[in-house]
Amino acid sequence: MDKYFVNLEGETPKYVIITKHIKKLIDTNNIEDGEKLPSIRSLSKFLKVNNVTIVNAYKKLQNEGYAVQKMGSGSYAKKKDITKNFRKEYSEALKKIAGKAMQEYIDFTGETPSNNFFPVQSFKDVLNEVLDRDGAEALIYQEALGYEGLRTSISEVFWNKNIKSDNILIVSGAQQGIDIVSKALINTNDSVIVEKPTYSGALSVFKWRRANIYEVPMEENGIDIDKFEKILKKNNIKCFYTMSYFQNPTGMSYSIRKKQQILNLAEIYDFYIIEDDYLAELIYDKRIEYKSFKSLDKNDRVIYIKSFSKIFLPGIRIGYLIPTARFKESIENSKINTDISTSSLMQRALDLYIRKGLWKDYMSNLNEIYKSRYLLMESYIKLYLEDKIEFISPGGGINFYLKIKDFIDMDSIQLFRKAKNKNVLITPGTLFYKNPLEGKRYFKIGFSQIDEDSMKKGLNIINELLE
């Protein structure tokens, strides 16, 4: 009963104070969903108020969706799902302020590098060279698996010829890659494991395939292996979807040891790994060593997906996929049935861009620029928000994942709405969980689209809202 104690002094009506206190207990899980609330008589006696005050408080809780009354039994706590329909609200809000209107906002939602750093002139020169070399063929000629020259470049430059060009499939970005793989692998009621939290686009694809989705919590160096294996022992798992570097949204990266453990488990329990190699080019902490699941895979268990769009230029929409031998044909057929071919001109241009060494130079420059921004953002988060949030520095990538401390009476959806009204955009954590309620205390902020002044101003506004 002690948790129900609240100071009732002040001008605010007592029943309002009691209602607010019980709502907070429910929101913070101090009162469980479905837990029976104290009887009117016992709570009025404990708080030294009359019965009518408690009756009014319970009625207000019911009206606001925080309690239900069962005839002859009493009142019971009800966890209000404020996340219902929020995904739609969030998407529509960003659509409304897209384009020129976005310039009025401090945008912490960006998930791609700023176009201010894109080497327009050098890419323009490459495009012209491709058109001079290939003529109309660059615009018309298509290959189902992707342009052979680009597949060869990827094999030579990124895989040191350890992956044959015939085993590389060009796709229109990582999202299409996930979609193609899921169509080839996953049928209704197949079981998949995802990280908790995880990329919302992947969650949507697996839900659309009507898969049974199991979640394993992320730790600082990858998923919790013990909980992972418990799921594997009890269920016939088809595949595990993972973002191996700077996972979206947590920013965490897998240790090589944990990757090897997961690869061993894949062989023991006969499942496949869908590796979404996200932002691995942006490693700032040199203690993080780059070795993908695919590069460590000795038993052909990893289906590898890489997007050039995220790190290069979103409008280009190019990525690639490396299937396992078992699913190679079905994945290729899935790609052909989806859209036949990705832009021939852009594939040829990207091939030449890589062959000329321009890709390597651009990545080196981008890494230097974003390391500086990363360190600034990290320092400003500590300066403005450290007493109100918790976070782990990811050591790379383009965002931070923050947890609102429990003593603050605000969740990330409320923060999103209040911040939007002050022209600041954040990404609530509810979007990254199978059960959105689990992300209520989290939000993601990226630094790819904002300058130093905007960082300071935006974080200061968030700080004021969390006061």
Side-chain angles (χ1 to χ4, degrees):
M1 184 69 88
D2 288 347
K3 64 186 176 184
Y4 288 93
F5 177 77
V6 62
N7 187 349
L8 297 174
E9 294 178 3
E11 296 180 3
T12 306
K14 291 178 181 178
Y15 81 95
V16 174
I17 297 173
I18 294 167
T19 302
K20 186 177 179 181
H21 179 63
I22 293 176
K23 282 167 61 178
K24 186 174 181 180
L25 290 173
I26 294 170
D27 284 337
T28 55
N29 294 319
N30 286 301
I31 296 177
E32 297 292 333
D33 187 30
E35 182 178 331
K36 188 175 181 179
L37 299 176
S39 68
I40 292 168
R41 184 181 297 175
S42 62
L43 189 55
S44 63
K45 185 177 179 181
F46 177 71
L47 294 176
K48 297 178 181 177
V49 296
N50 60 47
N51 286 357
V52 174
T53 300
I54 304 302
V55 169
N56 289 337
Y58 281 5
K59 280 184 178 177
K60 187 169 173 61
L61 285 169
Q62 289 167 31
N63 291 336
E64 294 182 13
Y66 276 89
V68 291
Q69 186 178 27
K70 297 181 181 179
M71 293 299 292
S73 180
S75 294
Y76 292 80
K78 181 183 177 184
K79 195 87 172 177
K80 188 180 180 186
D81 187 4
I82 63 166
T83 65
K84 193 175 182 181
N85 297 325
F86 177 72
R87 188 180 299 277
K88 184 179 179 182
E89 176 191 335
Y90 177 79
S91 177
E92 288 180 351
L94 294 191
K95 284 178 186 175
K96 282 181 182 178
I97 54 181
K100 288 185 178 180
M102 186 65 85
Q103 295 172 10
E104 299 173 10
Y105 286 78
I106 296 172
D107 182 16
F108 287 120
T109 68
E111 294 190 349
T112 55
S114 172
N115 55 14
N116 293 333
F117 308 127
F118 184 71
V120 175
Q121 187 57 52
S122 61
F123 195 71
K124 181 181 176 182
D125 293 341
V126 165
L127 278 171
N128 288 334
E129 188 172 337
V130 168
L131 288 169
D132 289 341
R133 183 191 70 192
D134 300 342
E137 190 177 76
L139 302 170
I140 299 169
Y141 186 72
Q142 295 183 333
E143 298 172 65
L145 299 183
Y147 176 55
E148 186 177 353
L150 177 58
R151 290 188 284 118
T152 302
S153 291
I154 290 169
S155 169
E156 293 174 355
V157 175
F158 300 123
W159 294 94
N160 198 27
K161 298 183 181 180
N162 290 322
I163 301 290
K164 294 180 180 178
S165 62
D166 286 348
N167 289 330
I168 294 169
L169 176 65
I170 304 300
V171 294
S172 300
Q175 182 65 40
Q176 189 193 58
I178 297 165
D179 185 56
I180 286 167
V181 171
S182 69
K183 286 176 181 176
L185 265 72
I186 302 168
N187 298 310
T188 301
N189 292 328
D190 279 347
S191 296
V192 302
I193 297 179
V194 299
E195 297 151 341
K196 185 168 80 172
T198 192
Y199 170 49
S200 58
L203 265 182
S204 297
V205 168
F206 298 140
K207 286 178 180 177
W208 181 74
R209 295 299 296 171
R210 296 183 179 180
N212 300 316
I213 302 171
Y214 296 89
E215 296 176 299
V216 180
M218 280 293 290
E219 298 178 328
E220 197 168 343
N221 64 346
I223 54 167
D224 183 321
I225 289 291
D226 291 336
K227 291 181 178 178
F228 185 63
E229 189 164 12
K230 281 180 183 177
I231 295 172
L232 293 171
K233 286 178 179 177
K234 293 179 181 178
N235 303 277
N236 182 23
I237 299 298
K238 190 72 166 281
C239 60
F240 165 51
Y241 170 74
T242 178
M243 304 179 87
S244 46
Y245 284 88
F246 313 119
Q247 192 256 5
N248 187 6
T250 66
M252 297 298 99
S253 299
Y254 282 73
S255 66
I256 292 173
R257 181 174 179 273
K258 191 158 278 192
K259 285 176 187 163
Q260 290 169 333
Q261 287 177 304
I262 292 169
L263 285 164
N264 288 337
L265 290 172
E267 191 66 11
I268 293 168
Y269 293 99
D270 190 23
F271 66 90
Y272 289 83
I273 298 165
I274 303 172
E275 179 180 18
D276 186 350
D277 192 359
Y278 177 75
L279 297 181
E281 294 83 357
L282 298 180
I283 296 174
Y284 316 131
D285 186 339
K286 299 308 176 188
R287 290 173 296 181
I288 299 174
E289 184 181 357
Y290 178 69
K291 277 190 179 179
S292 63
F293 275 97
K294 189 67 180 176
S295 67
L296 297 168
D297 181 20
K298 293 185 173 71
N299 298 305
D300 202 24
R301 288 281 168 184
V302 179
I303 299 165
Y304 178 90
I305 301 171
K306 180 69 182 177
S307 173
F308 290 112
S309 307
K310 287 288 185 191
I311 196 67
F312 194 44
L313 193 66
I316 289 179
R317 303 305 306 157
I318 293 179
Y320 69 96
L321 189 157
I322 304 172
T324 59
R326 178 180 172 183
F327 296 108
K328 186 174 187 290
E329 186 177 349
S330 59
I331 287 174
E332 288 174 357
N333 289 337
S334 177
K335 160 64 176 167
I336 292 166
N337 292 335
T338 299
D339 71 352
I340 302 178
S341 180
T342 303
S343 168
S344 178
L345 175 60
M346 287 303 176
Q347 288 186 65
R348 291 163 188 258
L350 183 57
D351 166 45
L352 193 56
Y353 197 83
I354 292 169
R355 287 182 185 277
K356 284 176 169 284
L358 297 172
W359 170 267
K360 187 176 180 181
D361 292 342
Y362 175 55
M363 285 303 108
S364 178
N365 183 48
L366 207 61
N367 195 288
E368 192 174 316
I369 291 168
Y370 277 111
K371 180 178 181 180
S372 175
R373 282 196 177 196
Y374 166 85
L375 293 172
L376 270 177
M377 187 71 150
E378 182 184 45
S379 66
Y380 289 145
I381 290 171
K382 290 177 180 177
L383 178 64
Y384 291 106
L385 298 175
E386 193 163 43
D387 62 330
K388 298 177 183 67
I389 59 94
E390 301 168 9
F391 76 104
I392 297 171
S393 295
I398 54 176
N399 66 262
F400 288 83
Y401 196 54
L402 312 179
K403 182 184 180 185
I404 302 169
K405 289 187 176 179
D406 291 338
F407 70 85
I408 292 175
D409 188 18
M410 186 182 295
D411 60 53
S412 62
I413 290 179
Q414 293 168 326
L415 180 61
F416 167 78
R417 290 169 178 160
K418 289 176 183 289
K420 181 166 68 72
N421 289 337
K422 292 185 175 289
N423 286 22
V424 175
L425 299 174
I426 63 165
T427 306
T430 57
L431 301 172
F432 304 103
Y433 293 79
K434 182 182 169 186
N435 174 10
L437 285 169
E438 295 189 61
K440 279 177 62 178
R441 307 298 296 179
Y442 296 89
F443 65 101
K444 185 175 77 168
I445 54 174
F447 51 87
S448 64
Q449 305 292 338
I450 54 176
D451 57 26
E452 183 177 352
D453 289 340
S454 295
M455 273 185 205
K456 289 192 283 188
K457 185 179 178 183
L459 290 173
N460 192 42
I461 288 171
I462 292 171
N463 174 54
E464 290 171 357
L465 292 172
L466 289 174
E467 283 289 358

